[in-house]
């Protein structure tokens, strides 16, 4: 397809339909910035970028894609690893200006625009001493994370992001604006809580809020040689852990920072990171057994919740190259040994393996209450690499794939769609959800998007 005439005609059609937001085409000076997303591996050239300022703008963009049969990529925060927020020779619908957050302190709810980041959400809710479960990085888009599930620092206390969605406003493939909630379009409401962006463009979420202000957050750090010892202690510790504390076991390269002993800086290490929402005294008691292991560094401290959300922001800047895979499962000694052995030969110092501890509020939601794939596994593995040189692409992807495959024997067979960089084939998407859940998602897809207009995602095919 010749992108220039497509761009000209698509822009003219958008203006004719009354699109009030900004329109960016390949001839515009800010096209290069407009076409890029957070993951530097993604290099695509859309025919047109439509920056919506209203729900009616979103309707126009959806109708334009439907009428022209151009590919449609929907961009919220632009943080998605596979680059679903952009496309070649198609329409990018950018929701970045729909980022208003309105808090109802009395009702403990927040209305969140589809283009908001977690930094936007946290800033608004923290002013009232409230929060809803977000991710681990403040620059992540609230919409994309929530649609796939939404693991973060408050998961064991208050569940996943999707568990806290009270309702959502969507523009569906027909161009209609609908509200999905427990009593309005309940099957659509079920599907958007874990089923990804398959069913429409969410222009606004309504989230439940919880009392969260200061938290105890941070990490303790150990040399990699202690990985099995630390892994065993961690596994025993989390078995009886209070839901006030959400944690993960992290394999990483120790940073060149003042809090790290000089001999450990730049070396492979293992850490326990977490967030405790209780009092400082309660946190001290709950952290005592891990601190008794004698970590090389301990930076757990009391801090405002939004500060913890920003704790890792500098480690994942926009423009670097990212690749990630993951799975749900268990974490026996063999799993820890497998990860530790491969950390020694890692191709990038920015490689990391996060083993998220689930349970708590996540497990108290019924398996079939939402489309989220696996609530019974105690852990989720997130294996990823970050690097800069395109010549190192193959080595880093192979390392991530190899370790994920090696961990497969500890897995449940399910996978978290937000931890997948590749656009998975139909069979792999079905496997990620399980057959019964996937079939239910297909039925919802057939009802709301029978032509698969929303296909640039981990696609549920109608």
């Amino acid at each position: 397809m010749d992108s220039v005439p497509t761009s000209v005609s698509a822009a003219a059609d958008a203006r004719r339909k009354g699109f009030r937001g900004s329109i960016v085409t390949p001839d515009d000076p800010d096209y290069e910035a407009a076409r890029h997303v957070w993951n530097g591996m993604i290099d695509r050239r859309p025919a047109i970028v439509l920056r919506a300022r209203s729900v009616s703008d979103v309707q126009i963009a959806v109708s334009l894609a439907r009428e022209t049969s151009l590919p449609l990529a929907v961009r919220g925060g632009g943080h998605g690893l596979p680059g679903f927020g952009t496309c070649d020779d198609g329409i990018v619908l950018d929701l970045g200006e729909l980022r208003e957050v309105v808090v109802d302190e009395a009702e403990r709810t927040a209305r969140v625009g589809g283009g908001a980041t977690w930094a936007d959400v946290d800033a608004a809710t923290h002013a009232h001493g409230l929060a809803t479960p977000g991710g681990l990085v403040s620059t992540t888009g609230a919409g994309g994370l929530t649609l796939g599930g939404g693991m973060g620092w408050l998961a064991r206390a208050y569940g996943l992001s999707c568990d806290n969605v009270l309702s959502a406003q969507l523009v569906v493939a027909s161009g209609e604006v609908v509200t999905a909630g427990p009593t309005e379009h309940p099957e659509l409401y079920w599907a958007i809580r874990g089923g990804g962006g398959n069913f429409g463009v969410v222009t606004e979420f309504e989230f439940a809020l919880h009392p969260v202000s200061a938290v105890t957050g941070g990490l303790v750090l150990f040399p990699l040689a202690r990985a099995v010892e630390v892994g065993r202690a961690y596994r025993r510790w989390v078995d009886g852990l209070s839901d006030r504390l959400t944690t993960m076991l992290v394999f990483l390269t120790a940073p060149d920072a003042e809090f790290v002993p000089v001999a450990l800086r730049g070396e492979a290490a293992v850490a326990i990171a977490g967030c405790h929402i209780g009092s400082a005294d309660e946190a001290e008691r709950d952290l005592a057994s891990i601190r008794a292991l004698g970590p090389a560094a301990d930076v757990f401290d009391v801090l405002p919740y939004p500060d913890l959300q920003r704790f890792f922001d500098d480690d994942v800047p926009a423009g670097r190259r990212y690749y990630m895979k993951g799975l749900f499962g268990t974490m026996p000694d063999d799993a820890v040994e497998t990860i530790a052995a491969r950390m020694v030969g890692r191709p990038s110092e920015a490689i990391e393996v996060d083993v998220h501890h689930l349970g708590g509020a996540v497990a108290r939601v019924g398996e079939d209450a939402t489309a989220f794939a696996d609530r019974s596994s105690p852990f989720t593995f997130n294996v990823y690499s970050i690097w800069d040189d395109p010549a190192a692409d193959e080595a880093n992807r192979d390392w991530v794939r190899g370790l994920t495959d090696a961990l497969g024997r500890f897995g449940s067979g399910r996978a978290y769609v937000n931890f997948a960089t590749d656009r998975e084939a139909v069979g792999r998407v079905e496997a990620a959800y399980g057959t019964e859940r996937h079939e239910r998602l297909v039925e919802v897809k057939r009802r709301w998007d029978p032509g698969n207009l929303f296909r640039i995602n981990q696609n549920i095919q109608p």
Side-chain angles (χ1 to χ4, degrees):
M1 182 181 294
D2 186 349
S3 64
V4 175
T6 299
S7 301
V8 172
S9 60
D13 284 348
R15 292 190 182 99
R16 177 178 53 79
K17 288 173 176 288
F19 189 87
R20 300 175 69 93
S22 59
I23 299 173
V24 182
T25 64
D27 293 333
D28 292 322
D30 59 345
Y31 175 76
E32 285 301 308
R35 75 182 183 88
H36 283 116
V37 289
W38 172 72
N39 188 350
M41 287 188 71
I42 309 303
D43 184 22
R44 293 175 186 145
R45 304 189 69 85
I48 187 171
V49 178
L50 300 176
R51 291 171 170 160
R53 291 180 184 163
S54 66
V55 174
S56 63
D57 279 352
V58 174
Q59 291 179 282
I60 290 167
V62 169
S63 70
L64 183 64
R66 186 180 64 250
E67 292 165 8
T68 61
S69 299
L70 288 172
L72 175 64
V74 181
R75 180 186 302 167
H79 217 274
L81 282 159
F84 292 150
T86 190
C87 61
D88 282 322
D89 300 321
I91 299 169
V92 169
L93 171 55
D94 190 329
L95 304 179
E97 294 188 35
L98 301 179
R99 59 194 309 165
E100 184 179 23
V101 180
V102 178
V103 176
D104 186 327
E105 184 175 0
E107 295 295 324
R108 288 189 178 175
T109 62
R111 293 192 173 275
V112 176
T117 66
W118 285 111
D120 298 324
V121 178
D122 295 335
T125 60
H126 185 69
H128 302 275
L130 300 168
T132 198
L136 302 174
V137 177
S138 75
T139 55
T140 304
L145 185 88
T146 299
L147 291 172
M151 295 183 193
W153 293 120
L154 303 178
R156 283 179 50 82
Y158 297 124
L160 305 170
S161 301
C162 72
D163 298 335
N164 288 272
V165 173
L166 301 174
S167 66
Q169 181 188 77
L170 299 89
V171 176
V172 294
S174 67
E176 180 186 4
V177 179
V178 302
T179 297
T183 59
E184 293 181 275
H185 307 302
E187 277 296 284
L188 180 60
Y189 176 60
W190 172 84
I192 63 171
R193 292 176 297 146
N198 277 282
F199 311 99
V201 182
V202 178
T203 53
E204 184 180 80
F205 294 89
E206 182 188 15
F207 285 105
L209 302 179
H210 308 276
V212 178
S213 185
V215 300
T216 300
L219 58 81
V220 289
L221 188 69
F222 304 84
L224 186 67
R226 298 187 63 187
V228 173
E229 172 201 357
V230 171
R232 287 174 180 166
Y234 177 74
R235 200 167 53 235
R236 290 194 301 269
W237 179 55
V238 299
D239 276 347
L241 198 60
S242 163
D243 292 353
R244 296 171 301 207
L245 183 53
T246 299
T247 67
M248 57 183 180
L249 186 69
V250 182
F251 297 79
L252 74 167
T253 300
D256 184 11
E258 288 187 6
F259 71 87
V260 179
V262 173
L264 190 53
R265 295 176 190 175
E267 299 296 322
V270 61
I272 297 169
C275 171
H276 196 295
I277 66 165
S279 70
D281 288 343
E282 290 170 330
E284 286 291 329
R285 290 194 294 272
D286 286 341
L287 291 169
S289 61
I290 288 301
R291 284 175 159 156
L293 294 173
D298 180 348
V299 291
F300 270 103
D301 201 359
V302 178
L303 70 170
Y305 173 68
D307 288 359
L308 181 61
Q309 280 278 66
R310 292 189 291 264
F311 195 81
F312 294 110
D313 283 7
D314 290 344
D315 296 333
V316 288
R320 299 196 73 186
R321 304 176 83 79
Y322 294 84
Y323 188 79
M324 179 183 293
K325 293 188 79 67
L327 68 156
F328 295 100
T330 60
M331 192 188 66
D333 286 353
D334 285 354
V336 175
E337 290 170 352
T338 297
I339 299 169
R342 298 208 178 208
M343 286 295 292
V344 175
R346 63 198 185 283
S348 167
E349 289 195 351
I351 269 175
E352 194 165 304
V353 182
D354 300 339
V355 187
H356 297 255
H357 178 224
L358 301 177
V362 176
R364 286 196 292 273
V365 175
E367 280 282 353
D368 296 326
T370 71
F372 185 74
D374 188 339
R375 293 181 182 272
S376 59
S377 291
F379 298 101
T380 301
F381 296 85
N382 181 17
V383 183
Y384 66 94
S385 186
I386 308 170
W387 68 101
D388 298 303
D389 185 0
D393 285 359
E394 184 176 1
N396 282 274
R397 283 194 300 248
D398 286 351
W399 191 94
V400 171
R401 290 167 177 164
L403 177 54
T404 305
D405 289 346
L407 293 171
R409 66 187 187 277
F410 311 113
S412 70
R414 306 284 177 83
Y416 178 36
V417 292
N418 284 354
F419 286 170
T421 308
D422 297 320
R423 184 175 178 179
E424 304 289 4
V426 175
R428 292 182 66 88
V429 173
E430 179 177 350
Y433 284 106
T435 300
E436 290 185 9
R437 183 176 283 101
H438 184 262
E439 288 178 353
R440 187 174 173 186
L441 286 165
V442 169
E443 287 303 311
V444 180
K445 182 75 169 180
R446 287 173 179 162
R447 164 67 177 84
W448 292 101
D449 185 18
N452 206 11
L453 180 70
F454 304 110
R455 59 186 178 274
I456 301 180
N457 45 45
Q458 299 297 359
N459 196 225
I460 306 295
Q461 294 194 4

